[in-house]
PDB file of all heavy atoms in Angstrom:
ATOM      1  N   ARG A   1     107.772  93.138 111.522  1.00 80.00           N
ATOM      2  CA  ARG A   1     108.914  92.548 110.841  1.00 80.00           C
ATOM      3  C   ARG A   1     109.408  93.514 109.780  1.00 80.00           C
ATOM      4  O   ARG A   1     108.628  94.003 108.965  1.00 80.00           O
ATOM      5  CB  ARG A   1     108.511  91.223 110.166  1.00 80.00           C
ATOM      6  CG  ARG A   1     107.800  90.239 111.098  1.00 80.00           C
ATOM      7  CD  ARG A   1     108.739  89.719 112.167  1.00 80.00           C
ATOM      8  NE  ARG A   1     108.105  88.711 112.999  1.00 80.00           N
ATOM      9  CZ  ARG A   1     108.073  88.744 114.319  1.00 80.00           C
ATOM     10  NH1 ARG A   1     108.622  89.750 114.964  1.00 80.00           N
ATOM     11  NH2 ARG A   1     107.503  87.781 115.005  1.00 80.00           N
ATOM     12  N   ARG A   2     110.705  93.771 109.770  1.00 87.00           N
ATOM     13  CA  ARG A   2     111.291  94.623 108.734  1.00 87.00           C
ATOM     14  C   ARG A   2     112.395  93.869 108.022  1.00 87.00           C
ATOM     15  O   ARG A   2     113.248  93.259 108.656  1.00 87.00           O
ATOM     16  CB  ARG A   2     111.814  95.926 109.344  1.00 87.00           C
ATOM     17  CG  ARG A   2     110.699  96.933 109.604  1.00 87.00           C
ATOM     18  CD  ARG A   2     111.155  98.088 110.468  1.00 87.00           C
ATOM     19  NE  ARG A   2     112.145  98.918 109.805  1.00 87.00           N
ATOM     20  CZ  ARG A   2     112.592 100.072 110.305  1.00 87.00           C
ATOM     21  NH1 ARG A   2     112.124 100.520 111.452  1.00 87.00           N
ATOM     22  NH2 ARG A   2     113.502 100.767 109.656  1.00 87.00           N
ATOM     23  N   PHE A   3     112.356  93.902 106.668  1.00 90.00           N
ATOM     24  CA  PHE A   3     113.305  93.157 105.854  1.00 90.00           C
ATOM     25  C   PHE A   3     113.962  94.095 104.855  1.00 90.00           C
ATOM     26  O   PHE A   3     113.303  94.954 104.265  1.00 90.00           O
ATOM     27  CB  PHE A   3     112.600  92.042 105.059  1.00 90.00           C
ATOM     28  CG  PHE A   3     111.603  91.234 105.829  1.00 90.00           C
ATOM     29  CD1 PHE A   3     110.309  91.089 105.361  1.00 90.00           C
ATOM     30  CD2 PHE A   3     111.961  90.616 107.014  1.00 90.00           C
ATOM     31  CE1 PHE A   3     109.387  90.337 106.060  1.00 90.00           C
ATOM     32  CE2 PHE A   3     111.053  89.862 107.721  1.00 90.00           C
ATOM     33  CZ  PHE A   3     109.754  89.725 107.254  1.00 90.00           C
ATOM     34  N   TRP A   4     115.249  93.871 104.602  1.00 94.00           N
ATOM     35  CA  TRP A   4     115.874  94.502 103.437  1.00 94.00           C
ATOM     36  C   TRP A   4     115.219  93.948 102.179  1.00 94.00           C
ATOM     37  O   TRP A   4     114.996  92.749 102.057  1.00 94.00           O
ATOM     38  CB  TRP A   4     117.365  94.191 103.372  1.00 94.00           C
ATOM     39  CG  TRP A   4     118.269  94.816 104.381  1.00 94.00           C
ATOM     40  CD1 TRP A   4     119.175  94.157 105.170  1.00 94.00           C
ATOM     41  CD2 TRP A   4     118.427  96.205 104.691  1.00 94.00           C
ATOM     42  NE1 TRP A   4     119.867  95.051 105.964  1.00 94.00           N
ATOM     43  CE2 TRP A   4     119.428  96.321 105.685  1.00 94.00           C
ATOM     44  CE3 TRP A   4     117.807  97.372 104.231  1.00 94.00           C
ATOM     45  CZ2 TRP A   4     119.825  97.529 106.225  1.00 94.00           C
ATOM     46  CZ3 TRP A   4     118.191  98.583 104.770  1.00 94.00           C
ATOM     47  CH2 TRP A   4     119.191  98.666 105.750  1.00 94.00           C
ATOM     48  N   VAL A   5     114.939  94.826 101.222  1.00 94.00           N
ATOM     49  CA  VAL A   5     114.468  94.415  99.897  1.00 94.00           C
ATOM     50  C   VAL A   5     115.264  95.201  98.851  1.00 94.00           C
ATOM     51  O   VAL A   5     116.021  96.116  99.178  1.00 94.00           O
ATOM     52  CB  VAL A   5     112.949  94.647  99.732  1.00 94.00           C
ATOM     53  CG1 VAL A   5     112.156  93.621 100.528  1.00 94.00           C
ATOM     54  CG2 VAL A   5     112.555  96.063 100.129  1.00 94.00           C
ATOM     55  N   GLY A   6     115.095  94.863  97.581  1.00 92.00           N
ATOM     56  CA  GLY A   6     116.033  95.307  96.552  1.00 92.00           C
ATOM     57  C   GLY A   6     115.786  96.679  95.950  1.00 92.00           C
ATOM     58  O   GLY A   6     115.817  96.813  94.723  1.00 92.00           O
ATOM     59  N   TYR A   7     115.560  97.675  96.785  1.00 93.00           N
ATOM     60  CA  TYR A   7     115.405  99.052  96.307  1.00 93.00           C
ATOM     61  C   TYR A   7     116.347  99.975  97.079  1.00 93.00           C
ATOM     62  O   TYR A   7     116.733  99.677  98.213  1.00 93.00           O
ATOM     63  CB  TYR A   7     113.965  99.543  96.513  1.00 93.00           C
ATOM     64  CG  TYR A   7     112.922  98.746  95.782  1.00 93.00           C
ATOM     65  CD1 TYR A   7     112.249  97.713  96.426  1.00 93.00           C
ATOM     66  CD2 TYR A   7     112.601  99.016  94.460  1.00 93.00           C
ATOM     67  CE1 TYR A   7     111.286  96.968  95.762  1.00 93.00           C
ATOM     68  CE2 TYR A   7     111.632  98.284  93.792  1.00 93.00           C
ATOM     69  CZ  TYR A   7     110.976  97.259  94.451  1.00 93.00           C
ATOM     70  OH  TYR A   7     110.027  96.532  93.792  1.00 93.00           O
ATOM     71  N   GLN A   8     116.680 101.098  96.460  1.00 92.00           N
ATOM     72  CA  GLN A   8     117.488 102.121  97.122  1.00 92.00           C
ATOM     73  C   GLN A   8     116.857 103.495  96.894  1.00 92.00           C
ATOM     74  O   GLN A   8     116.302 103.759  95.817  1.00 92.00           O
ATOM     75  CB  GLN A   8     118.925 102.100  96.591  1.00 92.00           C
ATOM     76  CG  GLN A   8     119.672 100.836  96.974  1.00 92.00           C
ATOM     77  CD  GLN A   8     121.079 100.793  96.410  1.00 92.00           C
ATOM     78  OE1 GLN A   8     121.362 101.395  95.389  1.00 92.00           O
ATOM     79  NE2 GLN A   8     121.968 100.058  97.071  1.00 92.00           N
ATOM     80  N   TYR A   9     116.945 104.337  97.921  1.00 91.00           N
ATOM     81  CA  TYR A   9     116.388 105.684  97.857  1.00 91.00           C
ATOM     82  C   TYR A   9     117.535 106.665  97.643  1.00 91.00           C
ATOM     83  O   TYR A   9     118.439 106.782  98.479  1.00 91.00           O
ATOM     84  CB  TYR A   9     115.638 106.022  99.143  1.00 91.00           C
ATOM     85  CG  TYR A   9     114.833 107.305  99.064  1.00 91.00           C
ATOM     86  CD1 TYR A   9     113.577 107.318  98.459  1.00 91.00           C
ATOM     87  CD2 TYR A   9     115.326 108.490  99.591  1.00 91.00           C
ATOM     88  CE1 TYR A   9     112.838 108.479  98.384  1.00 91.00           C
ATOM     89  CE2 TYR A   9     114.596 109.663  99.520  1.00 91.00           C
ATOM     90  CZ  TYR A   9     113.347 109.648  98.911  1.00 91.00           C
ATOM     91  OH  TYR A   9     112.613 110.810  98.824  1.00 91.00           O
ATOM     92  N   VAL A  10     117.520 107.346  96.514  1.00 90.00           N
ATOM     93  CA  VAL A  10     118.582 108.291  96.155  1.00 90.00           C
ATOM     94  C   VAL A  10     118.149 109.693  96.562  1.00 90.00           C
ATOM     95  O   VAL A  10     117.135 110.213  96.073  1.00 90.00           O
ATOM     96  CB  VAL A  10     118.875 108.240  94.640  1.00 90.00           C
ATOM     97  CG1 VAL A  10     119.979 109.231  94.283  1.00 90.00           C
ATOM     98  CG2 VAL A  10     119.254 106.824  94.219  1.00 90.00           C
ATOM     99  N   ILE A  11     118.912 110.318  97.471  1.00 87.00           N
ATOM    100  CA  ILE A  11     118.584 111.657  97.968  1.00 87.00           C
ATOM    101  C   ILE A  11     119.099 112.703  96.982  1.00 87.00           C
ATOM    102  O   ILE A  11     120.268 112.698  96.608  1.00 87.00           O
ATOM    103  CB  ILE A  11     119.203 111.885  99.359  1.00 87.00           C
ATOM    104  CG1 ILE A  11     118.622 110.880 100.366  1.00 87.00           C
ATOM    105  CG2 ILE A  11     118.951 113.312  99.840  1.00 87.00           C
ATOM    106  CD1 ILE A  11     119.284 110.927 101.718  1.00 87.00           C
ATOM    107  N   THR A  12     118.214 113.590  96.558  1.00 84.00           N
ATOM    108  CA  THR A  12     118.584 114.646  95.608  1.00 84.00           C
ATOM    109  C   THR A  12     118.590 116.024  96.245  1.00 84.00           C
ATOM    110  O   THR A  12     119.148 116.965  95.685  1.00 84.00           O
ATOM    111  CB  THR A  12     117.626 114.644  94.409  1.00 84.00           C
ATOM    112  OG1 THR A  12     116.272 114.779  94.883  1.00 84.00           O
ATOM    113  CG2 THR A  12     117.748 113.341  93.626  1.00 84.00           C
ATOM    114  N   ASN A  13     117.968 116.173  97.424  1.00 80.00           N
ATOM    115  CA  ASN A  13     117.888 117.489  98.069  1.00 80.00           C
ATOM    116  C   ASN A  13     117.804 117.297  99.573  1.00 80.00           C
ATOM    117  O   ASN A  13     117.000 116.495 100.056  1.00 80.00           O
ATOM    118  CB  ASN A  13     116.661 118.256  97.553  1.00 80.00           C
ATOM    119  CG  ASN A  13     116.725 119.738  97.938  1.00 80.00           C
ATOM    120  OD1 ASN A  13     117.428 120.118  98.867  1.00 80.00           O
ATOM    121  ND2 ASN A  13     115.984 120.558  97.215  1.00 80.00           N
ATOM    122  N   ARG A  14     118.628 118.006 100.342  1.00 72.00           N
ATOM    123  CA  ARG A  14     118.659 117.870 101.799  1.00 72.00           C
ATOM    124  C   ARG A  14     118.191 119.151 102.485  1.00 72.00           C
ATOM    125  O   ARG A  14     118.776 119.584 103.464  1.00 72.00           O
ATOM    126  CB  ARG A  14     120.072 117.521 102.270  1.00 72.00           C
ATOM    127  CG  ARG A  14     120.434 116.056 102.113  1.00 72.00           C
ATOM    128  CD  ARG A  14     121.776 115.777 102.724  1.00 72.00           C
ATOM    129  NE  ARG A  14     122.067 114.353 102.759  1.00 72.00           N
ATOM    130  CZ  ARG A  14     121.732 113.548 103.748  1.00 72.00           C
ATOM    131  NH1 ARG A  14     121.087 114.029 104.793  1.00 72.00           N
ATOM    132  NH2 ARG A  14     122.040 112.273 103.709  1.00 72.00           N
ATOM    133  N   ASN A  15     117.129 119.765 101.998  1.00 72.00           N
ATOM    134  CA  ASN A  15     116.596 120.951 102.661  1.00 72.00           C
ATOM    135  C   ASN A  15     115.825 120.537 103.914  1.00 72.00           C
ATOM    136  O   ASN A  15     116.211 119.629 104.617  1.00 72.00           O
ATOM    137  CB  ASN A  15     115.712 121.745 101.687  1.00 72.00           C
ATOM    138  CG  ASN A  15     116.570 122.462 100.645  1.00 72.00           C
ATOM    139  OD1 ASN A  15     117.764 122.664 100.845  1.00 72.00           O
ATOM    140  ND2 ASN A  15     115.956 122.813  99.527  1.00 72.00           N
ATOM    141  N   HIS A  16     114.726 121.224 104.189  1.00 65.00           N
ATOM    142  CA  HIS A  16     113.967 120.925 105.405  1.00 65.00           C
ATOM    143  C   HIS A  16     113.434 119.491 105.408  1.00 65.00           C
ATOM    144  O   HIS A  16     113.338 118.857 106.446  1.00 65.00           O
ATOM    145  CB  HIS A  16     112.806 121.918 105.548  1.00 65.00           C
ATOM    146  CG  HIS A  16     113.283 123.341 105.665  1.00 65.00           C
ATOM    147  ND1 HIS A  16     113.995 123.802 106.757  1.00 65.00           N
ATOM    148  CD2 HIS A  16     113.170 124.391 104.814  1.00 65.00           C
ATOM    149  CE1 HIS A  16     114.304 125.081 106.576  1.00 65.00           C
ATOM    150  NE2 HIS A  16     113.804 125.462 105.398  1.00 65.00           N
ATOM    151  N   SER A  17     113.067 118.990 104.246  1.00 68.00           N
ATOM    152  CA  SER A  17     112.654 117.588 104.119  1.00 68.00           C
ATOM    153  C   SER A  17     113.517 116.920 103.058  1.00 68.00           C
ATOM    154  O   SER A  17     113.888 117.549 102.070  1.00 68.00           O
ATOM    155  CB  SER A  17     111.175 117.504 103.719  1.00 68.00           C
ATOM    156  OG  SER A  17     110.976 118.113 102.466  1.00 68.00           O
ATOM    157  N   LEU A  18     113.833 115.682 103.307  1.00 75.00           N
ATOM    158  CA  LEU A  18     114.676 114.954 102.360  1.00 75.00           C
ATOM    159  C   LEU A  18     113.886 114.664 101.088  1.00 75.00           C
ATOM    160  O   LEU A  18     112.803 114.081 101.139  1.00 75.00           O
ATOM    161  CB  LEU A  18     115.165 113.646 102.982  1.00 75.00           C
ATOM    162  CG  LEU A  18     116.161 113.792 104.136  1.00 75.00           C
ATOM    163  CD1 LEU A  18     116.504 112.425 104.700  1.00 75.00           C
ATOM    164  CD2 LEU A  18     117.432 114.485 103.665  1.00 75.00           C
ATOM    165  N   GLU A  19     114.443 115.083  99.962  1.00 81.00           N
ATOM    166  CA  GLU A  19     113.798 114.800  98.677  1.00 81.00           C
ATOM    167  C   GLU A  19     114.651 113.812  97.897  1.00 81.00           C
ATOM    168  O   GLU A  19     115.877 113.837  97.972  1.00 81.00           O
ATOM    169  CB  GLU A  19     113.634 116.089  97.865  1.00 81.00           C
ATOM    170  CG  GLU A  19     112.746 117.126  98.547  1.00 81.00           C
ATOM    171  CD  GLU A  19     112.685 118.421  97.751  1.00 81.00           C
ATOM    172  OE1 GLU A  19     113.179 118.430  96.599  1.00 81.00           O
ATOM    173  OE2 GLU A  19     112.159 119.404  98.281  1.00 81.00           O
ATOM    174  N   GLY A  20     113.981 112.947  97.159  1.00 85.00           N
ATOM    175  CA  GLY A  20     114.705 111.955  96.375  1.00 85.00           C
ATOM    176  C   GLY A  20     113.743 111.043  95.647  1.00 85.00           C
ATOM    177  O   GLY A  20     112.557 111.357  95.485  1.00 85.00           O
ATOM    178  N   HIS A  21     114.241 109.888  95.218  1.00 85.00           N
ATOM    179  CA  HIS A  21     113.398 108.954  94.475  1.00 85.00           C
ATOM    180  C   HIS A  21     113.924 107.533  94.678  1.00 85.00           C
ATOM    181  O   HIS A  21     115.100 107.319  94.955  1.00 85.00           O
ATOM    182  CB  HIS A  21     113.380 109.296  92.978  1.00 85.00           C
ATOM    183  CG  HIS A  21     114.741 109.266  92.344  1.00 85.00           C
ATOM    184  ND1 HIS A  21     115.574 110.371  92.330  1.00 85.00           N
ATOM    185  CD2 HIS A  21     115.442 108.266  91.724  1.00 85.00           C
ATOM    186  CE1 HIS A  21     116.700 110.063  91.715  1.00 85.00           C
ATOM    187  NE2 HIS A  21     116.653 108.791  91.350  1.00 85.00           N
ATOM    188  N   TRP A  22     113.009 106.580  94.516  1.00 88.00           N
ATOM    189  CA  TRP A  22     113.364 105.174  94.610  1.00 88.00           C
ATOM    190  C   TRP A  22     113.941 104.681  93.294  1.00 88.00           C
ATOM    191  O   TRP A  22     113.526 105.109  92.220  1.00 88.00           O
ATOM    192  CB  TRP A  22     112.130 104.321  94.932  1.00 88.00           C
ATOM    193  CG  TRP A  22     111.640 104.402  96.337  1.00 88.00           C
ATOM    194  CD1 TRP A  22     110.484 104.979  96.771  1.00 88.00           C
ATOM    195  CD2 TRP A  22     112.271 103.857  97.513  1.00 88.00           C
ATOM    196  NE1 TRP A  22     110.350 104.839  98.128  1.00 88.00           N
ATOM    197  CE2 TRP A  22     111.427 104.153  98.605  1.00 88.00           C
ATOM    198  CE3 TRP A  22     113.459 103.159  97.732  1.00 88.00           C
ATOM    199  CZ2 TRP A  22     111.749 103.757  99.911  1.00 88.00           C
ATOM    200  CZ3 TRP A  22     113.774 102.781  99.024  1.00 88.00           C
ATOM    201  CH2 TRP A  22     112.926 103.075 100.096  1.00 88.00           C
ATOM    202  N   GLU A  23     114.879 103.763  93.374  1.00 88.00           N
ATOM    203  CA  GLU A  23     115.399 103.068  92.207  1.00 88.00           C
ATOM    204  C   GLU A  23     115.487 101.580  92.517  1.00 88.00           C
ATOM    205  O   GLU A  23     115.697 101.189  93.669  1.00 88.00           O
ATOM    206  CB  GLU A  23     116.814 103.568  91.832  1.00 88.00           C
ATOM    207  CG  GLU A  23     116.849 104.983  91.288  1.00 88.00           C
ATOM    208  CD  GLU A  23     118.253 105.388  90.856  1.00 88.00           C
ATOM    209  OE1 GLU A  23     119.186 104.562  91.047  1.00 88.00           O
ATOM    210  OE2 GLU A  23     118.420 106.496  90.343  1.00 88.00           O
ATOM    211  N   VAL A  24     115.319 100.759  91.471  1.00 86.00           N
ATOM    212  CA  VAL A  24     115.616  99.342  91.622  1.00 86.00           C
ATOM    213  C   VAL A  24     117.125  99.212  91.776  1.00 86.00           C
ATOM    214  O   VAL A  24     117.893  99.829  91.033  1.00 86.00           O
ATOM    215  CB  VAL A  24     115.117  98.546  90.401  1.00 86.00           C
ATOM    216  CG1 VAL A  24     115.522  97.082  90.513  1.00 86.00           C
ATOM    217  CG2 VAL A  24     113.612  98.661  90.272  1.00 86.00           C
TER     218      VAL A  24
END
């Protein structure tokens, strides 16, 4: 089961691997 929950992942770098951080 997969549900939307109240967090968003902000991408800060799109090199070989996606870098970023979670925010409420």
Side-chain angles (χ1 to χ4, degrees):
R1 308 292 184 232
R2 281 168 66 173
F3 316 126
W4 289 128
V5 287
Y7 299 95
Q8 293 178 333
Y9 190 81
V10 180
I11 298 173
T12 56
N13 194 339
R14 280 186 172 271
N15 287 341
H16 299 293
S17 62
L18 292 177
E19 298 176 10
H21 59 272
W22 285 111
E23 291 184 357
V24 176

